[in-house]
Amino acid sequence: MDIPEGSHRSRRHFIGATAAAVVAAELGMTAAAQGRSGEEKPEVPPTAKPGANKSFSSLKQKAAGVLNVGYAEAGPASGRPVTLLHGWPYDIHSYVDVAPLLAAEGYRVIVPYLRGHGTTRFLSSKTPRNAQQSVFALDILALMDALKIEKAILAGFDWGSRTADIIAALWPERCTALVSVTGYLITNPQANKQPSPPESEWAWWYQYYFATERGELGLTKYRHDLGKLIWKFNSPTWNFDQATFDRTAAAFQNRDYVSIVIDNYRWRLGLAKGESQYDALEKRLAQGPVIKVPTITIDGADDPFTPPGNGSAYRKKFSGKYAHKTLKAGHNVPQEAPLDFTRAVIEVDGFAQPLSK
């Protein structure tokens, strides 16, 4: 889970597409095929229900960088690319309702498992199981290269937001537009050494747990129960069922899951060094680079990690065309509010399109 840098944190469902043509007609748009002015508001049927889709029709594998990446793909190969990035403790099923909607609009949708999750595997046993923030961005760029995707709309939450933010900030030529839940999540490890208010520190209990050998053993033994506990805390108004959680929890059986999760949180606290080859990237990221690509940020109103101020805590970090939305959802916005998340992706695509004359 992720929190914007320097903010005070307080504790505060789409349709199963039976036919692409039907969904597209209901959406009332052809965003992928038409240029938008950015002023049009996507129309999505209010009767659509989340949770109708239980799984992706198939998964693919692609060697990319140091990984063999497992990913779901939907939509036409010629469509405008959209890459959807999940967080922790989540997986690609956060987008199981969003992907078919975007596909029905003509987008080419790629939903990869991050390193340490699902069917994504390291190509070599000798590769360090490093989980500092920059390597996730490099993984996604490598996958885009392998799939011959020059540029994509990037959308994510939690670890996925951070990864998308990094690409948008450092490689804007690879990012058409950005949807980032909880706003700006690029980490400054030095700033992370400063304490937060007690309520925030309490909410981050697992971060400190993972800093210990006991926590690593606990994640290994109780990865299923721990993930479910965090889901409940993160999304207090989301009444997910056991089957929904279990579909995602299967991704936690990846052989590198524990190593990646532990390294990620220890790196953020300065307890894991990362690799020197990424020092230059991390130095740039620690400076908090401004994101210039068209962006929509989203906060979940029921997310205990949503900063106050309706996006004001991170507004200055986005200098391009911008909009902010607060949705009735918890932390896992795309799975809890897939209609609204889909709207945001289509709307931000409009931001990136040239004005029609």
Side-chain angles (χ1 to χ4, degrees), residues 158-193:
D158 197 84
W159 291 18
S161 284
R162 175 177 290 109
T163 302
D165 289 351
I166 291 170
I167 295 173
L170 298 189
W171 297 277
E173 70 280 3
R174 306 301 301 273
C175 181
T176 304
L178 172 69
V179 175
S180 184
V181 176
T182 328
Y184 190 88
L185 289 178
I186 295 175
T187 296
N188 181 332
Q190 194 64 33
N192 255 8
K193 294 180 180 180

Side-chain angles (χ1 to χ4, degrees), residues 191-207:
N192 255 8
K193 294 180 180 180
Q194 297 302 312
S196 297
E199 184 181 2
S200 299
E201 300 283 20
W202 169 77
W204 273 92
W205 65 270
Y206 59 90
Q207 179 171 244

Side-chain angles (χ1 to χ4, degrees), residues 31-89:
Q34 299 176 4
R36 289 178 171 273
S37 67
E39 302 301 323
E40 302 171 32
K41 299 298 182 183
E43 295 296 332
V44 183
T47 56
K49 298 287 176 69
N53 295 288
K54 304 305 180 185
S55 63
F56 293 96
S57 59
S58 63
L59 293 179
K60 299 181 178 182
Q61 296 290 142
K62 190 73 173 180
V66 300
L67 302 174
N68 186 297
V69 180
Y71 66 100
E73 181 169 2
S78 60
R80 287 172 63 77
V82 179
T83 301
L84 304 175
L85 303 171
H86 69 81
W88 181 86

